[in-house]
Amino acid sequence: VVCFIGRSNVGKSSLIKALFSLAPEVEVRVSKKPGHTKKMNFFKVGKHFTVVDMPGYGYRAPEDFVDMVETYLKERRNLKRTFLLVDSVVGIQKTDNIAIEMCEEFALPYVIVLTKIDKSSKGHLLKQVLQIQKFVNTKTQGCFPQLFPVSSVTFSGIHLLRSFIASVTGNLD
């Protein structure tokens, strides 16, 4: 099991849809409205692998978000990795820091994925990557040292992230 967590409208469902575009049996619905995912969505991939799409935090987050997500993250023993999605246009926000603190507190192995890289200029994206990489190197313990910049629109970075997930879980098919 791996899960995807991030602010509302950061692109969690879109990223999962892009990751499994080659697996038509995995149907992922994507809404244009932020905060559309209100409950945890589980996607079974093959026989031994599950992806969890968490509801977003921040804008329009479900009232039971903290209880639901915190309980899941704390108690799920077979959770191999948590993917924390950060919007590359705006960088790490206060609400992202809360999610990072939760991952650190529960000693969860997690990875920061920068989404929407197609919406940033190369200069702005480089600045964000350097700032977030410095943050990861100096302020985190459980975060994987490599960032994964991705675009669900152009599919940039999707193959690399997919390969990483496969290496963490042992399969993706």
Side-chain angles (χ1 to χ4, degrees):
V1 176
V2 298
C3 74
F4 289 80
I5 189 169
R7 288 185 312 113
S8 290
N9 205 29
V10 76
K12 292 176 299 299
S13 299
S14 297
L15 176 59
I16 293 169
K17 186 175 179 94
L19 282 168
F20 298 106
S21 61
L22 300 175
E25 69 280 0
V26 181
E27 186 181 330
V28 182
R29 285 180 305 184
V30 179
S31 171
K32 294 279 180 221
K33 292 182 287 188
H36 188 74
T37 305
K38 296 293 185 199
K39 297 284 178 204
M40 291 185 277
N41 290 317
F42 295 80
F43 301 99
K44 193 137 180 68
V45 183
K47 292 180 180 140
H48 311 290
F49 180 62
T50 303
V51 172
V52 184
D53 183 8
M54 297 281 191
Y57 49 79
Y59 176 72
R60 293 192 64 202
E63 286 178 22
D64 59 347
F65 174 83
V66 172
D67 292 338
M68 174 178 30
V69 172
E70 196 172 275
T71 301
Y72 183 85
L73 294 176
K74 213 185 317 191
E75 296 176 3
R76 180 60 52 180
R77 295 284 167 249
N78 62 344
L79 182 62
K80 298 268 192 223
R81 193 76 49 148
T82 298
F83 291 87
L84 176 63
L85 278 56
V86 173
D87 186 329
S88 68
V89 178
V90 296
I92 294 177
Q93 303 291 293
K94 283 181 186 170
T95 48
D96 295 315
N97 278 319
I98 293 166
I100 290 167
E101 287 167 13
M102 204 184 316
C103 289
E104 291 286 335
E105 181 186 334
F106 302 150
L108 297 172
Y110 66 103
V111 177
I112 293 181
V113 178
L114 292 174
T115 61
K116 303 183 181 184
I117 63 170
D118 53 290
K119 297 201 181 336
S120 288
S121 69
K122 287 203 177 6
H124 180 76
L125 181 60
L126 180 60
K127 186 176 149 198
Q128 290 288 16
V129 166
L130 292 173
Q131 280 179 343
I132 295 169
Q133 191 67 62
K134 182 177 180 186
F135 173 85
V136 166
N137 293 345
T138 59
K139 304 265 196 272
T140 69
Q141 294 178 337
C143 188
F144 188 73
Q146 179 182 339
L147 302 176
F148 287 88
V150 299
S151 167
S152 299
V153 175
T154 66
F155 285 81
S156 179
I158 296 293
H159 182 70
L160 184 61
L161 180 58
R162 192 176 155 86
S163 296
F164 178 76
I165 294 170
S167 73
V168 167
T169 62
N171 70 348
L172 196 54
D173 302 314

